Amino acid sequence: MLPPMEKHTWKFFRAGGFDQVKLENGQDLAHLDQLDQKLWGALACPTQGLEFDARTLALIDTDNEGRIRVPKILTAVKWTLSCLKNPDCLFERRDALPLSSIADPQILASAKQILADLGKPNADTICIEDMADTNKVFAATRFNGDGIIPVEAADDAATRSVIQDIITCLGPETDRSGRPGIHQAKLDQFFAEVAAFADWSHNRVLPLGDTTEAAAAAVGAVKKKVNDYFTRCRLGAFDPHALETLYRHETDQLTASGDLGGLPLARIEPGRPLPLTEGVNPAWADALAALKPWTDGKTSITEADWMILCAKLAPYEAWLAAKPTTAVERLGIARIEKILASNAKETIAALLKRDREMETEFNAIVAVEKLVRFHRDLVPLLDNFVSFRDFYGRRQKAIFQAGTLYIDQRSCDLCIRVEDMSRHGTMVGLSRCYIVYCECSRKATGEKMTIAAAITNGDSDNLMVGRNGVFYDRHGRDWDATVVKIVDNPISVHQAFWAPYKKFIRMIEEQIAKRAAAAEADVDTKLATTTSMVATAQPVKSSIVPKKIDVGTVAAIGVAVGGITAALGALLQTFFGLGLWMPLGIVGLLLIISGPSMLIAALKLRQRNLGPLLDANGWAINAKAKINIPFGNELTRLATLPLSAYRNLVDPFAEKNTMRNRLILCGILLVTLLASWYFGALERLLPGVLPKSPWVQKSH
């Protein structure tokens, strides 16, 4: 590890409108904790939805909260530097870690042991593939130091059977090898429960001998109704009228519903015994008949007989109520007694102790995996967290870029995976970027995801909800992409220049379409009316009523035409009065029309910011990472022909508008000549040849 220095000279580069630190060597990493956090590109990022090794992020996220923050980054950097002889090797970005670079002797020994177990004792490097799945390292071993043993850890079948019983009753714990197993707490809980259940079972009370259980079941089935019957008999002795009213009310309600089971067991009379066979409620006949074996064959019982029977069964019922609630009951008392009689608890406890003794060795293996992954991934993560060097350097895609979207003759590199489109959309508008949300799917695998793609070049004329494209993820897999939502913002100044004219043309087209539709509807109505009248032999009356022309209307139209003519004349006089400066006049006119739109677009394009795009996805961006026009042109590339390509400009299916174009050209020339003569331009070019125009004569 490099020794810390009192002062460190940092190097910065400017990109995205802010200064970003350049991490180039081990000294920069050794002093990273001294870099002011206000100069970091990000302060936090999620562990999900990134194009980055998930296992590496999990090792950095030590508290498993799904967030990477500055302290966790600094902890990972400090630990990595303490394990390496020369931290400069981190900047080589290699998958393989040379054993000669490892400074920690325990990690080095563990790495050599892993390579030996993999059949590579002479290897001088260890790579991610060697540590791709640490579970495989212990797949063939019984103990791995996690405090959990699977069924296979036991030597004998009897112990394995008990471990399986524990898993069945209390549920499994997952061993590092991926197999189900148990830990010490499950072992203690299991044997505590089987002991409690065995003690309860051994204290069983049978006041009626072997028939106690059947008697308790028969009594329990009717106990509530029998108690109700004798209570009603006592109520009848106290107040016969109250009993009659209660019985009539219940009979009306229960008979209407068809529920005979709610009626008393038998007819109520003061002091009457309960019949068990004759004159009983049909719904309870079988249940009452089941009581006969424990009433000495009586066909009816008194309340005193009933109380004696219940008193005999009271100890048994109290024993049942004390039954412990446990999942081990499913094993049965015979199996439970067999387990308690064995030494399974001591044997399993010894196995768990042996497993825990392997903890140090396993931690060393985890440390090897951690170091190998940090050796490969730590610097790339810093180049996407401390600074955005990968994003602005364009050396490779940033970890938040999900892939490339091809749509409308362009490729978009700034595509971000979105988990919640509604929550993401509430903030993404602040980025001032034109965003298209696309639902991507692969029918072959059934996979689906949503992306937000920033369109930073070209125009939006052919971008609309429902438009389809193709998305290529970072692994080169192709997805069907469909636009489902658009956040509209300016894309380019070029688009803003033509926007007013396109809006004007669209407005004219819409008005023409509306008027044509209205005229067509009117014609259809008149045609239907005429056809109906002809079919019914009625005289056709003209619906067109000539309207008188009002003199005031004519005067108003004349004033309007005169005003328009005067304004047009003044404009043309000014324009043709420019002479050789007329081209500048055309440019000025275009700027008057397109200038405001271009100015607004330019201001918004200067405000394009990466921050809200990532903040909406769970990042904490610490800088105003701008996406200016040149960089935007890099992120979204338009279709261009190769330099060596041959292009045939003759379109065999192009529309033939030769006559129309000639007429338009002749009309423009004619209007230009008339305007030039009217405003005296031709008089100056051809003096005395043409008659003087009225405008010139009026001016003189």
Side-chain angles (χ1 to χ4, degrees):
M1 177 178 175
L2 293 176
M5 299 175 63
E6 293 297 328
K7 293 183 179 180
H8 181 68
T9 302
W10 298 99
K11 294 182 181 179
F12 289 85
F13 66 97
R14 190 162 185 84
F18 71 104
D19 294 323
Q20 305 183 44
V21 68
K22 184 184 293 186
L23 302 176
E24 294 183 317
N25 52 53
Q27 282 290 347
D28 292 334
L29 299 184
H31 294 84
L32 188 59
D33 58 343
Q34 301 175 16
L35 180 65
D36 191 346
Q37 286 190 30
K38 295 189 290 295
L39 298 175
W40 287 51
L43 298 176
C45 74
T47 58
Q48 303 295 326
L50 302 179
E51 295 298 324
F52 199 78
D53 189 275
R55 176 59 179 165
T56 301
L57 293 175
L59 291 171
I60 297 175
D61 183 23
T62 52
D63 55 5
N64 298 318
E65 65 171 346
R67 304 280 294 170
I68 302 296
R69 298 191 183 92
V70 173
K72 296 179 182 179
I73 292 288
L74 294 176
T75 300
V77 170
K78 182 178 179 180
W79 180 85
T80 304
L81 297 185
S82 67
C83 297
L84 295 174
K85 295 178 180 177
N86 183 9
D88 288 343
C89 67
L90 295 172
F91 293 86
E92 298 175 1
R93 300 196 180 198
R94 295 172 54 192
D95 289 344
L97 170 64
L99 299 182
S100 58
S101 299
I102 301 176
D104 189 293
Q106 189 173 10
I107 295 179
L108 177 60
S110 182
K112 292 180 178 180
Q113 183 62 48
I114 292 171
L115 292 172
D117 292 340
L118 294 174
K120 300 188 292 185
N122 298 323
D124 57 359
T125 62
I126 186 169
C127 59
I128 296 295
E129 286 72 19
D130 298 329
M131 303 297 303
D133 190 354
T134 53
N135 293 336
K136 294 180 180 179
V137 176
F138 290 106
T141 62
R142 294 190 298 163
F143 307 106
N144 51 34
D146 62 351
I148 299 173
I149 57 171
V151 176
E152 295 79 7
D155 295 319
D156 59 287
T159 306
R160 287 196 292 268
S161 178
V162 174
I163 296 175
Q164 185 60 57
D165 287 339
I166 298 175
I167 294 174
T168 302
C169 295
L170 304 182
E173 300 293 330
T174 303
D175 184 73
R176 280 171 178 161
S177 64
R179 293 171 291 183
I182 63 169
H183 50 43
Q184 186 67 45
K186 285 280 176 74
L187 176 67
D188 295 339
Q189 179 185 354
F190 176 79
F191 275 92
E193 292 187 8
V194 295
F197 188 84
D199 290 342
W200 171 82
S201 180
H202 293 157
N203 293 324
R204 184 172 54 171
V205 179
L206 300 175
L208 299 181
D210 295 338
T211 64
T212 301
E213 185 175 355
V219 170
V222 296
K223 189 172 186 178
K224 184 176 180 181
K225 293 296 292 185
V226 171
N227 289 335
D228 175 74
Y229 172 80
F230 287 118
T231 300
R232 288 172 183 266
C233 290
R234 290 195 303 272
L235 179 61
F238 172 75
D239 185 359
H241 297 290
L243 181 62
E244 181 180 354
T245 302
L246 176 63
Y247 183 75
R248 186 183 305 112
H249 176 69
E250 291 180 344
T251 301
D252 293 341
Q253 285 189 334
L254 297 174
T255 303
S257 64
D259 181 16
L260 298 178
L263 294 173
L265 293 177
R267 180 170 52 84
I268 305 298
E269 293 180 1
R272 183 190 182 199
L274 173 65
L276 300 180
T277 56
E278 300 293 335
V280 299
N281 187 333
W284 293 92
D286 293 339
L288 289 173
L291 293 175
K292 289 186 63 177
W294 296 278
T295 59
D296 298 328
K298 297 179 181 179
T299 58
S300 64
I301 58 172
T302 64
E303 186 174 6
D305 295 334
W306 173 250
M307 297 301 295
I308 292 173
L309 179 59
C310 291
K312 290 180 179 179
L313 292 174
Y316 178 78
E317 292 177 348
W319 175 76
L320 279 181
K323 178 182 177 181
T325 302
T326 175
V328 302
E329 181 183 357
R330 71 180 68 180
L331 299 178
I333 188 61
R335 174 61 179 163
I336 288 176
E337 290 177 346
K338 183 177 180 181
I339 292 174
L340 291 174
S342 68
N343 62 345
K345 182 177 181 180
E346 294 74 15
T347 303
I348 297 174
L351 295 175
L352 287 168
K353 182 180 179 181
R354 289 180 59 188
D355 187 85
R356 288 191 296 270
E357 291 172 352
M358 298 289 294
E359 183 177 1
T360 302
E361 181 180 345
F362 179 81
N363 288 340
I365 292 177
V366 173
V368 174
E369 180 200 11
K370 185 176 178 181
L371 183 59
V372 172
R373 290 186 179 276
F374 285 6
H375 172 261
R376 183 194 65 176
D377 297 333
L378 190 58
V379 169
L381 179 62
L382 297 177
D383 283 343
N384 288 271
F385 193 99
V386 181
S387 66
F388 296 136
R389 192 174 181 181
D390 282 351
F391 180 62
Y392 286 104
R394 303 290 290 167
R395 297 180 301 176
Q396 59 186 13
K397 291 183 184 295
I399 62 176
F400 50 77
Q401 291 178 269
T404 303
L405 174 66
Y406 284 81
I407 190 171
D408 191 31
Q409 290 193 314
R410 73 190 86 194
S411 63
C412 309
D413 283 343
L414 185 50
C415 300
I416 301 173
R417 290 195 64 165
V418 176
E419 298 299 330
D420 187 348
M421 189 173 68
S422 59
R423 185 173 65 88
H424 192 272
T426 58
M427 189 175 183
V428 75
L430 300 176
S431 68
R432 297 291 187 264
C433 293
Y434 188 98
I435 304 295
V436 294
Y437 288 94
C438 296
E439 287 187 353
C440 304
S441 62
R442 305 188 82 232
K443 292 184 179 180
T445 59
E447 296 175 272
K448 290 185 178 181
M449 69 174 173
T450 302
I451 63 169
I455 310 295
T456 56
N457 195 5
D459 56 51
S460 61
D461 292 347
N462 292 321
L463 292 174
M464 62 202 74
V465 173
R467 191 77 191 272
N468 293 325
V470 175
F471 176 71
Y472 293 91
D473 62 23
R474 295 282 290 272
H475 304 287
R477 300 184 303 168
D478 55 294
W479 301 65
D480 291 326
T482 302
V483 178
V484 294
K485 180 182 176 181
I486 292 178
V487 178
D488 195 3
N489 276 304
I491 295 179
S492 64
V493 177
H494 175 268
Q495 178 192 15
F497 176 83
W498 295 107
Y501 309 104
K502 292 179 180 179
K503 290 180 181 178
F504 180 70
I505 293 174
R506 281 197 299 269
M507 183 180 64
I508 293 176
E509 291 175 346
E510 290 173 359
Q511 293 298 322
I512 292 175
K514 288 180 181 179
R515 291 184 178 274
E520 182 181 11
D522 186 52
V523 170
D524 290 343
T525 302
K526 292 178 180 179
L527 181 60
T529 302
T530 304
T531 303
S532 177
M533 297 179 71
V534 170
T536 56
Q538 296 181 9
V540 179
K541 296 180 180 180
S542 175
S543 61
I544 302 175
V545 179
K547 296 181 179 180
K548 297 181 180 180
I549 300 176
D550 185 74
V551 177
T553 302
V554 175
I557 294 174
V559 172
V561 172
I564 294 173
T565 304
L568 182 61
L571 180 62
L572 291 175
Q573 182 186 17
T574 303
F575 179 72
F576 285 104
L578 294 175
L580 297 176
W581 297 96
M582 281 193 294
L584 292 179
I586 296 175
V587 174
L589 181 62
L590 294 177
L591 290 177
I592 291 173
I593 298 173
S594 301
S597 177
M598 295 171 63
L599 178 61
I600 293 174
L603 292 175
K604 288 187 176 181
L605 290 174
R606 285 176 55 85
Q607 298 173 358
R608 284 193 308 200
N609 186 3
L610 177 67
L613 275 174
L614 297 182
D615 285 341
N617 237 21
W619 285 67
I621 301 301
N622 194 36
K624 189 175 182 180
K626 294 182 178 180
I627 303 175
N628 58 21
I629 295 176
F631 187 55
N633 294 341
E634 285 291 320
L635 291 176
T636 301
R637 293 183 178 272
L638 303 180
T640 56
L641 297 180
L643 296 177
S644 59
Y646 171 76
R647 185 182 184 190
N648 185 358
L649 297 178
V650 178
D651 185 354
F653 301 104
E655 296 180 357
K656 307 299 182 182
N657 297 318
T658 305
M659 182 58 67
R660 185 199 65 181
N661 295 338
R662 288 177 180 176
L663 291 175
I664 292 175
L665 179 60
C666 291
I668 293 174
L669 290 176
L670 180 60
V671 171
T672 303
L673 290 174
L674 288 175
S676 300
W677 169 76
Y678 184 80
F679 292 106
L682 290 180
E683 178 68 21
R684 291 191 294 270
L685 295 176
L686 302 172
V689 176
L690 299 173
K692 291 186 177 181
S693 68
W695 183 275
V696 175
Q697 292 177 1
K698 182 180 178 180
S699 300
H700 289 298

